Amino acid sequence: MRWLAVLGFALLAASTSRAAAAQDCAAMWQGAFSGALACEPYTPSTAADGATFYVETGGSASDDVKKAVLDIAADAFVAAKAVYSQWGALAPVVFIAVKDNHPSYNANTAAIWGLAIVDKRRPGEACPVVLYPAMGDAADGQRVRQLVAHELWHCFQFDNLRAQLNGDPPPGVQQYWTDITMWWAEGSADYFANLVFPAANLERNGQTRFDFKKPLHLQSGAGAYGVSLFFQSMGNTNSPEAVVAFLKALPANGNQDAQRAALAAYGGLNTDFHIFAKEILNNELMDSDGKPVAIDFTGDQRQTELDEGTTRIAMDMKPFVIRPYVFKLEKGRLYTFPGLGKLAFDEHMKASYRFENVWYEANSDLKIDTRCEGMPVSDVLLLFTRTDDSAGGETAGQTPAEMDVKAETSECPCDAMEAVPACYAGNWLLDNNAIALAMADAQAKMKFDSLSGAIRAQIGAGGKLTLRLADWTLLWKRANENDSDTLKSLKLVFSGEFEGFMGKAKSGKMCFIPTADRTKLFYEAMVSYWGMSDEMGAALTNPMSEPMTATEADFNCVGDEIFYSFPVNGKTFQGRLTREP
């Protein structure tokens, strides 16, 4: 069986004939050709160390066409070798420009430009790459060059990943490529060829044929080429070196179940696959040329109308398949979506929520409030991915995951929300001095030492509030140095952002409600007992929930300043914000 690059479109070249050549190219490989192939050597216009070039004599294509094909191949070989040699040796390659197009050639449906015949190649032999006359008439020279780079990656695979290619061929058949390994053999060839010629985008043809209803390791036929989407994501997230390391970790024998087991066992793949899924659903996967790939998701998508009360959702996901769940929201409700802890997920499962086109990791419950005027009402998308070694559904020691989504209908907790006065709209900087005074007695047996960093607030005309924290750092120290039972110091560093909604209540005060849990605010705690520091990182979820949810506060906007007074846990915190450009 042979690798075919059934990619691109070309026209059949004009025909002339040529006299017999001096040698038989078919003799260079065992069984690569069905009969003798009369050819003669050719020196291309570009010097290509490590490659030799031959022209088959006779046939319908002119010598000029065949030599033009080899000139293109020489350019592509030099470029591909420079990239591929970072990860392994590319053994000698022999290019043969044959006299006739491939038997399956069709300018509209199967414009085959070239192929690498590696299945019959013996160790120690040069890699034979056959180029067809149609390649010389291709309208886009860069796409043709990418095709050559694709075939050269197959040569690289034979030289550096031969054991992984072998898979589990039928008894008595000696070959280095089977349907079992096609998913990564063709997918990685398209990915790495695109690294060599990033602007050519020949891989798009295969990417549009990726079957989103099948797992990665079961992609076959045209869909196997589409696995370049996953390798593109993995390469972007990590590096091309990481993709090569992953390929080397694939099994040297076994069936498709062995491929899945290797995927499940590979460290960090659960995160890589989840990132890949999010990029596909948001159309945010970037090509090697820095432009969006823009592939439409054509897989299964479950949609659920959430009724009042509790709705139970069965998460019937299969490993290595993207299947999003979409929940329709209505005005006037408080929705609660469960976090990972309540779903009893294991290390091979990940979940994220998308709300207003922003992703939030499902580390804890997600609450979305649509009860007040001005609050956004848009769909919530849950992405739940699995990378465990199973066919999906119930497995040993594991039951299918279920989740309970709650919908509560009630009035807006802030009486009636009115529009935010125009004075409040804009960008503001929080005055740290007022916060420092409020923190003075926040820790028992400890004294507040210092505060640094910044909190900036952006208030929209419609009441949307975004707080951004940049290394906002609070430090407490032991009040009594002789008190060995009290921490020597406590430092909290906050970074990130969270969002909420503010409006004017009937009382005339301002009211604050979170629009959704925002898990983008992180803090790092540095605790010192006896001068030794321990660091603990954690993520804050829904920092605008209790005690701030539905909290009314005195706000007074005067020119370029806002003076506020917040009640929290029986205390009142006063402060000031100053307007920024």
Side-chain angles (χ1 to χ4, degrees), residues 280-561:
I280 289 295
L281 294 175
N282 261 28
N283 250 325
E284 293 177 345
L285 178 60
M286 304 303 291
D287 198 3
S288 299
D289 64 358
K291 298 178 181 179
V293 173
I295 295 295
D296 292 332
F297 175 71
T298 56
D300 292 330
Q301 180 170 289
R302 306 295 175 86
Q303 184 168 300
T304 302
E305 300 282 346
L306 295 174
D307 297 325
E308 173 76 10
T310 300
T311 303
R312 176 158 292 180
I313 309 296
M315 313 299 289
D316 53 342
M317 282 294 303
K318 294 185 180 297
F320 306 105
V321 175
I322 301 173
R323 180 182 291 167
Y325 293 77
V326 177
F327 302 98
K328 310 294 289 186
L329 305 190
E330 295 181 6
K331 186 72 177 174
R333 288 179 174 174
L334 175 64
Y335 295 91
T336 302
F337 296 85
L340 289 178
K342 295 181 180 178
L343 297 178
F345 283 4
D346 63 24
E347 62 178 343
H348 294 291
M349 301 181 184
K350 293 185 74 68
S352 297
Y353 291 105
R354 188 181 71 184
F355 181 65
E356 293 190 281
N357 213 37
V358 178
W359 288 103
Y360 303 96
E361 301 308 311
N363 297 319
S364 62
D365 289 359
L366 171 74
K367 293 183 179 180
I368 298 179
D369 199 334
T370 67
R371 293 174 294 177
C372 301
E373 290 298 324
M375 290 183 166
V377 182
S378 61
D379 296 346
V380 173
L381 183 146
L382 167 63
L383 172 64
F384 164 37
T385 57
R386 294 177 56 173
T387 56
D388 54 305
D389 182 19
S390 74
E394 189 169 350
T395 60
Q398 173 190 310
T399 56
E402 294 180 334
M403 63 180 291
D404 291 335
V405 182
K406 298 179 181 179
E408 172 192 348
T409 301
S410 60
E411 297 294 325
C412 174
C414 283
D415 297 322
M417 299 284 281
E418 298 179 6
V420 175
C423 176
Y424 290 86
N427 299 310
W428 304 87
L429 176 66
L430 187 71
D431 183 355
N432 279 345
N433 291 327
I435 299 294
L437 291 173
M439 292 292 111
D441 59 350
Q443 296 289 332
K445 299 185 178 181
M446 300 191 75
K447 61 181 180 180
F448 186 75
D449 184 82
S450 62
L451 189 157
S452 60
I455 296 181
R456 286 179 163 81
Q458 182 180 53
I459 303 175
K464 184 174 182 179
L465 171 66
T466 302
L467 298 183
R468 295 183 175 88
L469 291 79
D471 293 328
W472 198 60
T473 305
L474 302 95
L475 175 64
W476 289 267
K477 291 185 178 180
R478 183 188 296 167
N480 184 351
E481 283 298 325
N482 297 322
D483 184 4
S484 59
D485 294 329
T486 301
L487 298 178
K488 187 175 180 65
S489 66
L490 171 64
K491 181 166 70 172
L492 300 178
V493 182
F494 296 86
S495 294
E497 65 180 56
F498 57 87
E499 297 177 358
F501 180 83
M502 62 183 292
K504 192 173 182 180
K506 287 182 178 179
S507 63
K509 297 182 179 182
M510 300 301 291
C511 186
F512 298 85
I513 302 176
T515 56
D517 291 346
R518 305 305 193 186
T519 57
K520 296 172 64 176
L521 177 64
F522 296 88
Y523 76 91
E524 185 178 46
M526 279 151 278
V527 182
S528 175
Y529 287 92
W530 302 285
M532 301 292 291
S533 180
D534 298 318
E535 297 183 5
M536 299 173 290
L540 288 177
T541 61
N542 197 15
M544 289 191 69
S545 64
E546 302 297 338
M548 293 182 67
T549 296
T551 297
E552 293 188 7
D554 289 312
F555 261 59
N556 185 22
C557 181
V558 181
D560 291 335
E561 293 182 310

Side-chain angles (χ1 to χ4, degrees), residues 197-216:
F197 297 101
N201 294 324
L202 186 64
E203 75 284 353
R204 288 288 192 275
N205 294 335
Q207 290 173 343
T208 58
R209 292 168 172 81
F210 184 82
D211 190 346
F212 285 102
K213 297 178 182 179
K214 287 184 177 180
L216 281 179

